Amino acid sequence: MVKYINYTTEPPNNFDQLLTLYESLGWNSLKLTSNDLERMCNQSWYAIYAFDEKQLVGMGRVISDGVITGVVCGLCVLPSYQSEGIGKKMVNRITHHCEQNGVIPQLMCVEILEPYYEIFGFKKFTIGMSKKINR
């Protein structure tokens, strides 16, 4: 059965769906709440959501000043919907939005995902660093 996926910048009515998505990927080590995720998305420069009818199946966002660079983050697809092109469509929409606004898209990813992002023209350019904080 072919699924019709709706891509939109309109956030979900209920961010519990995003919490479920994050937890299905093992991404909630910080113990974020649905309120945290809603605030995270609302404060992003750009966010894209993928829905199968009313079910949130994917999302991605960009953090940016809207002038020079934008950091693509949180790109995720529900495991049962992976390998169906949803992530690719979201990356294309994200990079298109950045290009339309003159913002250079950048991202950090684990090494195993480098070939995936290279398909879209991303090139390895530096080593990132992070500082642990108490939350």
Side-chain angles (χ1 to χ4, degrees):
M1 180 177 184
V2 177
K3 297 174 185 152
Y4 174 74
I5 303 300
N6 179 38
Y7 300 90
T8 180
T9 57
E10 289 296 316
N13 293 329
N14 182 343
F15 276 84
D16 288 343
Q17 290 187 66
L18 184 55
L19 181 59
T20 298
L21 176 52
Y22 265 47
E23 289 178 346
S24 75
L25 296 167
W27 283 15
N28 200 11
S29 62
L30 296 177
K31 308 278 190 254
L32 300 171
T33 66
S34 56
N35 288 337
D36 294 329
L37 295 174
E38 181 175 10
R39 193 174 61 163
M40 171 190 81
C41 290
N42 289 339
Q43 293 181 95
S44 297
W45 178 69
Y46 179 76
I48 184 92
Y49 305 92
F51 290 93
D52 181 358
E53 296 188 16
K54 293 185 182 201
Q55 181 185 3
L56 180 68
V57 298
M59 75 88 55
R61 62 193 185 94
V62 179
I63 301 169
S64 179
D65 56 17
V67 178
I68 300 172
T69 60
V71 178
V72 179
C73 54
L75 183 73
C76 57
V77 176
L78 199 63
S80 59
Y81 284 77
Q82 291 177 0
S83 300
E84 295 185 19
I86 296 168
K88 289 180 182 179
K89 286 185 180 172
M90 288 192 300
V91 171
N92 285 330
R93 288 170 185 253
I94 287 168
T95 56
H96 179 73
H97 184 79
C98 288
E99 288 171 10
Q100 281 186 316
N101 289 279
V103 170
I104 302 163
Q106 298 176 335
L107 60 83
M108 292 184 291
C109 66
V110 292
E111 284 183 55
I112 196 167
L113 290 177
E114 286 177 15
Y116 177 79
Y117 288 108
E118 286 172 349
I119 293 168
F120 303 99
F122 285 90
K123 304 274 185 237
K124 191 172 189 171
F125 73 98
T126 188
I127 295 174
M129 296 177 74
S130 180
K131 182 178 184 314
K132 288 211 179 249
I133 63 166
N134 294 324
R135 284 185 54 105

